[in-house]
Amino acid sequence: MSAVTLDRAAADRGPGSRPRRRPGRTALRLAPLLPAVALMAVFLAGPVLWSFYGSLTNQALTGYRAANPEFVGLDNYASLVADGDFWKAVVLTVVFVGASAVVGQNVLGMALALLLRAAARPLRAVVSALVVVAWVLPEIVAAFALYAFFSTDGTLNQVLGWVGLTGPTWLITFPMLAVVLANVWRGTAFSMMVYGAALSEVPPDVTEAAAIDGATGPQRFFRITLPMIRRSVSTNLMLTTLQTLAVFTLIWVMTGGGPGTDSSTLPVLAYQEAFKFAQVGYGTAIATVTLLVGAVFSIVYIRVLKPEVD
């Protein structure tokens, strides 16, 4: 079909008219997506829906209710609202995610990425390797290493003893501080790599022009660099938040959620209720609430940090 014919067809439709949709052609284009949609429905939506159903039952880990759970409606959620340990776990989860992921990993990761850009190549390689080692370690190995570091006779108190100081029992006196620092140490490398890649995409001409115009270093970072890497910031915030929200092994190995419930975040509390106290339905309700908390965080990040011009 010639260009003249196409122009005539467009003129016949009139100004502002939309091209006709062809249902058969649209279905043909969507067909390759069907296997991916089917896999997501089976392996993603399926477990979520089954988890939600399980939270509406009184299923136990053993005994009669393990084989024949009964539908109890919203009773588990009503019990959660009246449970003081649940609200304490919600607060501890927000503190853990906010301190270790939103502030710790992101701020420290950005600072390291900025410093490494100006560092000499050998120093950059050494620091990058040391930071990345913490990230590539299996979570269970990192958890045992950090337990040895923060324990009463561990590395930290040994170092403090060399300078005449007596360290506290970190995992008992300051359990949340210990697990927050541990998660910052373990997850900062991911943020550093994301921000390092984003900063490398910022054209140096832009910041150099701002420097010639008299902009200071903080002004160039907050008014030029940060807006240009806004999408990377949004993506990294969402990923680190969701990863931290699901952290279980690190806390369980270091403190077991204790002493008492002083470091029991929502994943730890869900595990305790389901497998320690054998209330699988109640523990599943806590897990469902954790899932909703993660969804709320994701929506907030997408709304607040959405680029103004796509």
Side-chain angles (χ1 to χ4, degrees):
M1 185 180 291
S2 65
V4 176
T5 306
L6 291 174
D7 292 340
R8 287 178 179 175
D12 293 340
R13 289 196 298 267
S17 63
R18 298 180 178 178
R20 295 177 182 177
R21 295 182 178 178
R22 299 178 181 178
R25 190 173 182 180
T26 303
L28 189 62
R29 288 179 176 177
L30 295 177
L33 298 177
L34 289 179
V37 173
L39 289 174
M40 290 184 65
V42 173
F43 295 105
L44 183 62
V48 171
L49 293 176
W50 185 255
S51 172
F52 179 69
Y53 171 76
S55 70
L56 303 178
T57 68
N58 62 354
Q59 186 170 13
L61 189 62
T62 58
Y64 175 77
R65 290 180 179 174
N68 300 289
E70 298 175 354
F71 184 80
V72 295
L74 298 177
D75 286 358
N76 287 328
Y77 293 96
S79 300
L80 280 180
V81 174
D83 189 350
D85 288 340
F86 168 72
W87 290 111
K88 184 178 180 180
V90 171
V91 173
L92 292 176
T93 302
V94 173
V95 171
F96 181 65
V97 172
S100 66
V102 179
V103 178
Q105 293 181 10
N106 278 274
V107 174
L108 188 58
M110 177 66 79
L112 285 172
L114 290 170
L115 291 174
L116 289 179
R117 289 193 73 191
R121 179 170 295 181
L123 178 61
R124 190 189 312 167
V126 171
V127 174
S128 299
L130 291 176
V131 175
V132 171
V133 163
W135 185 59
V136 300
L137 282 176
E139 188 175 11
I140 186 67
V141 177
F144 278 111
L146 290 163
Y147 173 80
F149 181 78
F150 283 105
S151 63
T152 305
D153 298 326
T155 308
L156 180 57
N157 282 350
Q158 293 288 341
V159 173
L160 292 176
W162 293 344
V163 294
L165 298 176
T166 302
T169 52
W170 295 97
L171 299 178
I172 297 176
T173 309
F174 307 107
M176 280 305 296
L177 177 62
V179 295
V180 164
L181 293 176
N183 195 50
V184 171
W185 173 78
R186 176 165 164 71
T188 296
F190 180 79
S191 297
M192 182 193 73
M193 289 187 290
V194 171
Y195 290 140
L199 290 172
S200 66
E201 298 297 326
V202 177
D205 298 346
V206 178
T207 54
E208 290 173 2
I212 293 174
D213 291 338
T216 62
Q219 287 175 334
R220 294 197 299 272
F221 175 72
F222 288 106
R223 297 183 180 181
I224 298 175
T225 303
L226 201 56
M228 294 183 71
I229 63 172
R230 196 175 180 178
R231 290 182 178 179
S232 298
V233 173
S234 172
T235 302
N236 191 58
L237 275 172
M238 186 166 62
L239 291 177
T240 55
T241 297
L242 296 180
Q243 288 173 351
T244 301
L245 192 63
V247 168
F248 170 78
T249 305
L250 192 69
I251 300 175
W252 188 253
V253 170
M254 290 182 67
T255 66
T261 56
D262 288 350
S263 60
S264 291
T265 57
L266 285 173
V268 175
L269 184 65
Y271 176 83
Q272 289 176 325
E273 294 292 345
F275 298 103
K276 189 175 181 180
F277 303 117
Q279 299 180 355
V280 176
Y282 191 69
T284 308
I286 299 174
T288 304
V289 172
T290 308
L291 184 67
L292 295 177
V293 172
V296 170
F297 271 115
S298 301
I299 293 172
V300 170
Y301 287 144
I302 292 173
R303 289 281 185 182
V304 174
L305 298 175
K306 183 179 180 181
E308 296 176 358
V309 179
D310 289 324

